[in-house]
Amino acid sequence: MEWYMALILLLWSLFLLMVLGPPVVYAFLSVNLLGACLFLGEAAGLAQCARNTTASIGSFYLTPIPLFVLMGEVLFHTG
């Protein structure tokens, strides 16, 4: 598959998922898995996604992201 056809497929699937209304995280996750399966192959793409997930959980530099979300929720609910 040519790169521009894959780009069109991934963007349209993301657009369709956004219109259907699931949470954004599930829309991005499904498009990410679809892209990994398209470009790397089915088994290798899913294995690479699993390796990247476990590697990103173990890194410290991503820690502030959920803490900023938590801080925003606390400030929003406390006024």
Side-chain angles (χ1 to χ4, degrees), residues 1-56:
M1 178 180 282
E2 295 291 326
W3 68 269
Y4 53 85
M5 293 301 290
L7 175 69
I8 292 170
L9 175 70
L10 292 175
L11 287 177
W12 273 105
S13 61
L14 181 64
F15 176 74
L16 179 68
L17 285 171
M18 291 293 183
V19 168
L20 290 176
V24 175
V25 65
Y26 297 130
F28 280 129
L29 178 66
S30 62
V31 170
N32 186 16
L33 291 175
L34 177 66
C37 289
L38 275 176
F39 291 117
L40 299 175
E42 196 167 317
L46 294 177
Q48 184 64 35
C49 285
R51 280 192 297 268
N52 288 348
T53 302
T54 56
S56 67

Side-chain angles (χ1 to χ4, degrees), residues 52-64:
N52 288 348
T53 302
T54 56
S56 67
I57 288 173
S59 65
F60 179 72
Y61 64 91
L62 292 176
T63 305

Side-chain angles (χ1 to χ4, degrees), residues 3 12 27-28 31 42 44 66-67 72-75 77-78:
W3 68 269
W12 273 105
F28 280 129
V31 170
E42 196 167 317
L67 294 176
E73 286 294 319
V74 167
L75 292 174
H77 288 290
T78 58

